[in-house]
Amino acid sequence: MAFALTPERENELQDILTRYPTRMAATIPLLHLCQDQNGWVSEEVIQFVSQKLDVPPAHVQGVVTFYTLFNQKPVGKHQVWVCRTLPCALRGAGDVIAQCEKKLGIHVGETTKDGKVTLRTAECLASCGTAPMMQVDKDYHENLTPERIDAILTRLQES
Amino acid sequence: MLRRTDYLTKVYALGHSLEVYERQVQGYQAARKVLLTMTREHVVDEAKKANIRGRGGAGFPMGIKWSFMRPHPTKPAYLVINADEGEPGTHKDRTLMELNPHSIIEGCIIGCYAIGANVAYIYVRDELHLSKERLWGAIKEARAKGYLGKTPFGKNYPIEVHVHTGAGAYICGEETSLLNSLEGRRGEPRLKPPFPAQAGAFGCPTTVNNLETIATVPAAFMLGCENYSKLSALHHIGDGGVRLYGINGHVKKPCVVELAVGPTINELIYDIGGGILGDKPLMCVIPGGSSTPLLRADEVVNAPDEKSPLHAWHGKSVMDVPLGVDTMRGVGTMLGTCCITVMAEGTDPVLAMLNLMQFYHHESCGQCTPCREGSAWLDRTVQKLYDGQGTTDDIALLADLANNIMGNTLCAFGEGTAMPALAFLKKYRKEFEAYATGARTKAQARLTVD
């Protein structure tokens, strides 16, 4: 089925288009809007963005496959990203990842069976001074302790 | 020399609103003065005197970069702010966006005027949702006050500032990748020349400044640019002003702090960071983001030549040399982003290198073969050694791979991968050999301090 933005997001797109001298420049912001609505970037979303911005679908596909944050397949309701890069690793990121895997019963890169949580590792999220950390949807959780991780994941499981 | 300042950070504890910014630190007075009383040329000349070395890592003097911008007969100019903070170990720009967003907007106003632009784009990595929200909030407030828009401060010089978001790609912190990403393309670096000042965003003359660089501009103009430069202990070698310093890794109190340019690593670790976890001895420090070669705790400065800028520290520990663009170059590394990653004795250097090579492998954009293949091969080869399946030949192979990336790629990502790899290999040769001979195994490998 063809994809379309909600009226609210369509308005936001119109606002975005005023900021740039080209329509192509709205590719990444528009893909974010679509993914916020759809959860992932489907073939229909690529067609939609292509038509909206008057750029070839292959261009949109190229952008989608380049950037880590665009989901090329459906993901869980909540996104958990644990930073694994050295400054966090020095402060115990390895243990954070292990705890998340155990508590959620999945490996990094997988989604829980009930579709609630997708667990992934992230490269440096600019939070090295408050390591270890993880991002849950749009929020940063910093200076993690086993108790806090447990509470955060329990909340997601019960959501 | 350790000297705390609060030009950028005074409002951190007071609030991020325009009202606080104006009342507490005379916010927008510098932009007002610049727009209403100075010519473009005058602004650029003044900016040069501030000796602001780019805060993003390369350390290029900001005023000189601004002076490369020439009015084009038909094309507009753009100011683009790099807030794609993603260099492992770097966590300073985020604090500015969250806690002092108006300094960035005011810096953009001055910057736009200086380079002849009417539009500034702040490119923020997508993950920083709070930062984007604060920046948009600040733009809205500044627009409502008439500081942005068609006639900022009543001057007939339109200025708009927009926030643009990335989508999770470290390479977009490289300025030409960032421009491609801003234009809605894959974030692959461009061949230079043309440099952005000739053909940048949308093919138009563009200046790309780091976020902290632009945020420090209002303070420089408030104080007078020369006075601002003189705050630094390294003013005499053209490295001026104040900076944010980050301290992370194995210290008791990781943080971001504002200091006059020129503290030493030892001062950051012990006076600001509270010392090392468990009071362990220091093993090494990555001085300014993972792409800067590490410094071992036992390294000493070798500068017998009296003409060397480092001669004053000849025979002393590298940890006691003031952090500056040229001083760090002098000790064989780079200043980078001024955020130090501290590793205590007992940290496994092979595992640390593996962690970073996994990072570079993941983040290589894939455009240049030496980097795409080389970063993957480095990752696999360190992994092999770490797994106890490597030989001493693999250590030579690692150095060979790194040397074949250096200088053979479009952008500095190649060097950013190869230089730290070579530093690990050279400075921890014994540990790599121990893995190759089986004298050391991954069962004992630790990155954390117990």
Side-chain angles (χ1 to χ4, degrees):
Chain A
M1 212 180 79
F3 176 86
L5 286 176
T6 59
E8 199 181 33
R9 289 194 175 91
E10 181 65 38
N11 283 341
E12 208 176 326
L13 171 64
Q14 295 312 314
D15 184 41
I16 288 168
L17 286 170
T18 63
R19 296 173 201 157
Y20 309 102
T22 67
R23 290 179 81 81
M24 185 193 276
T27 305
I28 291 172
L30 177 53
L31 281 167
H32 279 305
L33 277 181
C34 295
Q35 182 163 287
D36 271 352
Q37 183 174 318
N38 197 52
W40 66 294
V41 181
S42 61
E43 187 63 37
E44 291 76 17
V45 166
I46 289 176
Q47 288 296 338
F48 172 80
V49 172
S50 159
Q51 283 162 19
K52 270 280 170 193
L53 302 181
D54 201 17
V55 293
H59 171 85
V60 183
Q61 176 88 28
V63 170
V64 170
T65 55
F66 186 86
Y67 296 94
T68 313
L69 293 179
F70 294 128
N71 302 317
Q72 296 173 58
K73 55 182 190 200
V75 291
K77 186 174 160 199
H78 298 289
Q79 313 302 311
V80 174
W81 299 89
V82 182
C83 177
R84 61 151 293 277
T85 322
L86 190 59
C88 272
L90 294 172
R91 311 280 300 193
D95 294 337
V96 176
I97 295 164
Q99 189 184 345
C100 288
E101 287 187 321
K102 191 170 171 217
K103 169 101 177 162
L104 296 169
I106 52 174
H107 292 109
V108 166
E110 294 176 350
T111 302
T112 53
K113 279 206 184 85
D114 59 7
K116 279 186 182 164
V117 183
T118 298
L119 174 67
R120 283 177 279 196
T121 53
E123 297 298 348
C124 192
L125 289 171
S127 188
C128 322
T130 46
M133 67 82 64
M134 63 185 186
Q135 185 178 8
V136 178
D137 298 326
K138 295 192 172 179
D139 297 320
Y140 272 27
H141 297 273
E142 303 166 60
N143 296 312
L144 291 172
T145 59
E147 297 73 36
R148 288 196 53 218
I149 296 165
D150 194 69
I152 293 161
L153 296 180
T154 301
R155 210 163 54 232
L156 295 181
Q157 287 171 325
E158 288 169 0
S159 67
Chain B
M1 188 189 61
L2 201 63
R3 204 164 122 227
R4 281 178 185 267
T5 58
D6 65 355
Y7 297 99
L8 291 168
T9 50
K10 188 176 176 189
V11 301
Y12 274 26
L14 303 171
H16 58 268
S17 69
L18 188 139
E19 191 261 328
V20 168
Y21 184 62
E22 290 200 297
R23 182 161 44 85
Q24 297 289 343
V25 293
Q26 297 170 282
Y28 290 101
Q29 292 298 325
R32 184 189 302 271
K33 186 178 89 182
V34 164
L35 260 66
L36 298 183
T37 67
M38 293 169 79
T39 64
R40 258 192 65 189
E41 294 72 20
H42 189 186
V43 178
V44 174
D45 283 344
E46 267 299 297
K48 284 183 189 165
K49 293 181 198 158
N51 290 316
I52 298 171
R53 307 293 289 262
R55 292 351 187 188
F60 195 83
M62 182 201 75
I64 295 177
K65 198 185 244 189
W66 282 7
S67 74
F68 293 153
M69 294 292 282
R70 299 267 181 272
H72 192 279
T74 53
K75 291 176 176 176
Y78 292 105
L79 176 65
V80 176
I81 304 305
N82 186 344
D84 193 47
E85 183 161 60
E87 174 79 12
T90 306
H91 48 112
K92 63 184 180 69
D93 291 345
R94 203 183 124 213
T95 64
L96 281 168
M97 292 186 272
E98 290 180 4
L99 302 172
N100 191 4
H102 279 287
S103 66
I104 298 155
I105 308 305
E106 186 177 6
C108 285
I109 295 172
I110 298 171
C112 273
Y113 185 70
I115 64 164
N118 297 107
V119 177
Y121 295 105
I122 307 175
Y123 185 105
V124 184
R125 63 183 294 180
D126 184 61
E127 295 92 331
L128 300 179
H129 294 282
L130 182 60
S131 294
K132 287 182 286 180
E133 191 185 309
R134 293 273 161 90
L135 285 170
W136 276 123
I139 290 168
K140 207 172 152 194
E141 282 184 306
R143 210 178 271 157
K145 272 263 188 170
Y147 300 163
L148 291 171
K150 289 209 169 71
T151 53
F153 308 103
K155 172 104 174 176
N156 187 18
Y157 187 94
I159 296 176
E160 289 295 350
V161 180
H162 303 296
V163 178
H164 182 88
T165 61
Y170 166 73
I171 192 61
C172 291
E174 195 279 337
E175 64 177 2
T176 60
S177 304
L178 187 150
L179 294 172
N180 273 338
S181 186
L182 172 65
E183 291 179 12
R185 302 172 199 275
R186 292 163 69 88
E188 287 163 344
R190 298 174 181 175
L191 184 64
K192 293 192 265 192
F195 291 93
Q198 287 108 44
F202 309 105
C204 301
T206 301
T207 294
V208 184
N209 284 140
N210 167 262
L211 182 110
E212 185 194 341
T213 305
I214 208 75
T216 202
V217 166
F221 278 84
M222 272 310 279
L223 285 170
C225 287
E226 201 174 341
N227 291 336
Y228 170 86
S229 178
K230 284 179 180 163
L231 292 169
S232 159
L234 300 176
H235 164 72
H236 60 288
I237 51 170
D239 200 340
V242 301
R243 289 184 76 135
L244 297 182
Y245 291 84
I247 305 146
N248 61 75
H250 295 150
V251 289
K252 290 178 186 168
K253 292 187 288 182
C255 61
V256 173
V257 64
E258 180 188 327
L259 302 168
V261 167
T264 69
I265 292 174
N266 267 336
E267 286 168 340
L268 291 181
I269 295 174
Y270 296 99
D271 298 342
I272 306 283
I276 295 178
L277 289 172
D279 293 315
K280 299 224 172 189
L282 176 66
M283 181 178 96
C284 67
V285 169
I286 298 176
S290 65
S291 301
T292 60
L294 66 87
L295 294 170
R296 275 179 68 125
D298 55 7
E299 280 183 60
V300 290
V301 180
N302 181 26
D305 183 358
E306 282 179 19
K307 284 180 198 143
S308 162
L310 287 174
H311 182 68
W313 293 277
H314 178 61
K316 290 188 181 161
S317 167
V318 291
M319 303 298 162
D320 289 323
V321 173
L323 283 165
V325 176
D326 300 309
T327 52
M328 285 300 106
R329 203 171 284 154
V331 297
T333 184
M334 283 174 71
L335 176 66
T337 59
C338 275
C339 290
I340 66 169
T341 301
V342 177
M343 288 181 249
E345 201 75 66
T347 310
D348 190 298
V350 178
L351 184 52
M353 174 166 166
L354 176 60
N355 183 295
L356 291 181
M357 292 306 117
Q358 288 169 339
F359 168 80
Y360 289 107
H361 177 190
H362 185 266
E363 296 299 333
S364 173
C365 81
Q367 190 175 215
C368 307
T369 308
C371 172
R372 181 185 66 241
E373 300 302 320
S375 61
W377 204 344
L378 283 168
D379 176 8
R380 285 196 304 269
T381 309
V382 186
Q383 182 79 55
K384 189 175 156 197
L385 275 165
Y386 178 68
D387 288 339
Q389 289 158 5
T391 64
T392 44
D393 284 351
D394 288 311
I395 304 172
L397 175 64
L398 284 168
D400 197 32
L401 289 167
N403 281 315
N404 276 294
I405 299 174
M406 291 272 267
N408 291 326
T409 56
L410 273 182
C411 82
F413 185 103
E415 281 79 26
T417 308
M419 287 189 314
L422 289 168
F424 270 103
L425 291 169
K426 185 176 150 203
K427 297 182 181 183
Y428 290 102
R429 174 93 197 175
K430 273 189 196 150
E431 285 76 1
F432 280 85
E433 282 173 351
Y435 269 97
T437 59
R440 192 172 177 141
T441 69
K442 65 178 177 183
Q444 303 132 27
R446 292 278 179 281
L447 286 180
T448 49
V449 172
D450 298 326

